[in-house]
Amino acid sequence: MSEKSQRLEIVTPQKKVFSEDVKFLVAPGTDGELGILPEHAPLITSLNIGVLRIQQDRDFIKVVVSGGFMEVRNSKVTVLATSAERVEDIDVARAERAKQRAEERLAEKASGLDMLRAEMALKRAIIRLRAVNDK
Amino acid sequence: MANLRDIRRRIKSTKNMQQITKAMKAVAAAKMRKAQEAVTLARPYSKRIKSVLGRVAVVSGGVNNPLLEVREPKKVAYIVISADRGLCGGFNSNIIKLATQELKATSAEISLITVGRKAHDFFVRRGGSNIAKQYVGLGDNIMYGTVRDIASFVIDKYANQEYDVVYLIYSQFVNVMVQKPLVIKLLPAEPPAAAGGADESKKIAYIFEPSPEAVLAELLPKYIENAIYQGLLETKAGFYSAQMTSMENATKSASDMIDKLTMFMNRARQAQITTEISEIVGGVAALE
């Protein structure tokens, strides 16, 4: 692996979640996953709800992001996510509850907007739980 | 001169009041620190989203997006953010004053979206038929869901051409002593100029994934959400600092009042003693 590194910053409206040098990362783009190595060409992409994998030394750090953007420029990667949390910080019980709530709401078949919201909530919860269980 | 007992009673009640204002000041100070921290933590995101949007807008110059479309302002919407509670000096009335000025200045059809009880109550008292939506009792923790709600409401209305311009009125948190009511134009979105000048960013050939249109279409609502979120946070921080200052002033006035009343009380007591002595002396003189 090359000695070069790139700066990765993950920020959410609430706070800066991550700001460190990394070697490699895989981001959940809307059109599929993207791997970013240092000195990548300038890129702007929107992100899906999914797991962002970051490699610093050998192991991958996992961060669950739900929607947002990634900008790559001059070996500097900025992720603007609506929410982002490290897998270690995920509250499993809360995610389970959210999943259950979303499923209940989907079963009730509420009006259009609520359905969409419930679907998103369900997706977020499932991805969170999956990320925790994969570890 | 007032009765001694009355003065004592007043001193006691003023002291009680002072205790309350002191406690409120302490609470406001603690909450202000938290709110201020939230504003600071939120800054990196809003700075970055602004610069990314600026660069995207320059690069994708020709891309059409309904949120960028400029129309003649026939129907104008104002989002007015105030606090839920009072006891904060002129904080809420400054926001409302600015809002009324703005409303008076336009001849367009006006809709209001009020956030916070004070603004809502004010506009309801003034007729209030044009309040399109209201949010009260947001509490100390601002939920991003509420922000998304407000943003999607105005974005939908704007895209459906029900609003031609949307303004946001809130109180900017400059520092603990200064809060400045502010009007900003939310829609049509005006992408900020990219940092470092437009020329530099023009040179960067970005790869857009999936496409410039799609990225812009996602980025703009996020940008608007963030502007509203920022407005809410700053108003909250400003409210607590205004409350803290006004409660501090109230505590100080209470001390002044207590000092003055104590002086009156001593004077009254002295006068009473003097009268008593002269009565006794007079009584003795009469006996001799």
Side-chain angles (χ1 to χ4, degrees):
Chain A
M1 183 141 260
S2 75
E3 287 306 301
K4 283 169 187 155
S5 70
Q6 54 191 345
R7 187 80 171 168
L8 171 68
E9 280 193 350
I10 304 176
V11 284
T12 70
Q14 277 79 30
K15 61 178 181 194
K16 198 181 269 184
V17 178
F18 188 93
S19 175
E20 276 169 54
D21 286 336
V22 302
K23 281 185 177 157
F24 177 59
L25 65 109
V26 180
T30 27
D31 280 355
E33 294 206 312
L34 308 137
I36 309 285
L37 280 165
E39 296 184 1
H40 192 285
L43 167 99
I44 294 179
T45 175
S46 48
L47 297 178
N48 227 338
I49 301 170
V51 181
L52 182 75
R53 281 173 296 156
I54 306 160
Q55 191 176 39
Q56 270 182 311
D57 298 311
R58 280 195 56 219
D59 295 330
F60 277 100
I61 302 171
K62 285 192 216 158
V63 178
V64 175
V65 294
S66 52
F69 305 90
M70 179 170 71
E71 187 198 24
V72 185
R73 193 169 71 122
N74 303 338
S75 284
K76 202 169 167 257
V77 184
T78 312
V79 174
L80 296 163
T82 314
S83 80
E85 47 195 341
R86 292 195 192 203
V87 169
E88 306 92 86
D89 298 338
I90 288 176
D91 185 342
V92 180
R94 201 178 142 221
E96 293 274 15
R97 275 203 304 278
K99 188 182 163 201
Q100 210 175 359
R101 215 169 35 233
E103 277 168 349
E104 275 166 22
R105 212 164 292 161
L106 284 174
E108 280 169 21
K109 288 208 168 51
S111 63
L113 188 68
D114 284 347
M115 284 294 271
L116 203 69
R117 221 180 262 175
E119 256 170 50
M120 295 294 274
L122 184 61
K123 201 166 164 194
R124 272 200 298 275
I126 288 172
I127 287 194
R128 277 199 185 116
L129 291 174
R130 202 184 291 155
V132 172
N133 293 332
D134 272 358
K135 209 160 58 168
Chain B
M1 183 88 32
N3 182 324
L4 204 57
R5 216 168 12 143
D6 283 346
I7 299 176
R8 281 219 182 94
R9 204 180 288 148
R10 273 191 71 186
I11 291 178
K12 211 175 147 196
S13 75
T14 316
K15 267 190 185 150
N16 283 338
M17 251 186 285
Q18 191 186 28
Q19 234 157 32
I20 293 168
T21 55
K22 227 187 216 162
M24 280 186 79
K25 188 201 143 191
V27 171
K31 290 197 170 166
M32 184 200 70
R33 227 166 294 141
K34 249 171 100 186
Q36 218 176 333
E37 204 180 272
V39 172
T40 328
L41 286 174
R43 269 197 192 130
Y45 183 87
S46 71
K47 217 175 96 192
R48 296 247 152 64
I49 201 163
K50 265 182 210 151
S51 65
V52 172
L53 181 62
R55 284 197 286 273
V56 173
V58 170
V59 176
S60 65
V63 176
N64 273 327
N65 186 289
L67 300 184
L68 293 171
E69 190 189 353
V70 181
R71 291 190 292 263
E72 200 189 329
K74 280 185 193 143
K75 283 164 284 181
V76 185
Y78 289 90
I79 304 174
V80 184
I81 304 178
S82 78
D84 275 326
R85 278 171 293 145
L87 292 176
C88 51
F91 180 77
N92 287 316
S93 49
N94 283 343
I95 298 172
I96 290 168
K97 212 195 288 165
L98 180 72
T100 3
Q101 271 168 19
E102 286 292 317
L103 296 187
K104 260 187 204 149
T106 59
S107 53
E109 191 185 314
I110 294 161
S111 302
L112 288 167
I113 295 125
T114 58
V115 184
R117 185 163 285 122
K118 288 286 162 183
H120 180 247
D121 288 354
F122 175 80
F123 288 112
V124 165
R125 271 199 304 276
R126 289 188 77 212
S129 53
N130 48 7
I131 295 178
K133 214 160 164 65
Q134 47 138 328
Y135 297 86
V136 291
L138 294 185
D140 286 333
N141 290 318
I142 294 157
M143 305 297 275
Y144 209 74
T146 320
V147 176
R148 215 171 295 155
D149 220 49
I150 303 171
S152 60
F153 179 77
V154 291
I155 288 170
D156 280 354
K157 291 266 187 187
Y158 189 81
N160 291 336
Q161 313 216 340
E162 284 175 63
Y163 297 154
D164 297 320
V165 188
V166 179
Y167 291 100
L168 177 70
I169 299 176
Y170 71 101
S171 179
Q172 191 190 18
F173 179 77
V174 182
N175 58 42
V176 179
M177 300 306 290
V178 182
Q179 300 91 34
K180 205 171 79 191
L182 208 66
V183 187
I184 59 167
K185 193 191 265 183
L186 213 54
L187 286 166
E190 286 166 347
D199 295 335
E200 184 218 18
S201 40
K202 253 183 196 147
K203 279 182 208 146
I204 302 168
Y206 277 106
I207 305 167
F208 284 98
E209 201 65 54
S211 68
E213 295 85 7
V215 170
L216 200 63
E218 280 224 34
L219 196 52
L220 279 173
K222 290 267 155 43
Y223 172 68
I224 287 158
E225 269 172 24
N226 185 255
I228 297 173
Y229 185 62
Q230 191 79 16
L232 281 171
L233 286 182
E234 296 216 8
T235 308
K236 185 122 278 176
F239 165 71
Y240 282 122
S241 55
Q243 186 169 54
M244 190 185 79
T245 322
S246 75
M247 283 303 118
E248 195 177 334
N249 289 339
T251 310
K252 229 180 269 158
S253 328
S255 305
D256 291 351
M257 183 98 132
I258 290 168
D259 285 352
K260 218 189 264 166
L261 287 172
T262 313
M263 211 174 66
F264 277 145
M265 185 187 76
N266 287 339
R267 235 181 248 157
R269 205 185 59 215
Q270 248 166 16
Q272 202 183 356
I273 292 166
T274 315
T275 332
E276 271 169 26
I277 289 175
S278 62
E279 270 165 12
I280 291 166
V281 172
V284 171
L287 280 179
E288 278 171 359

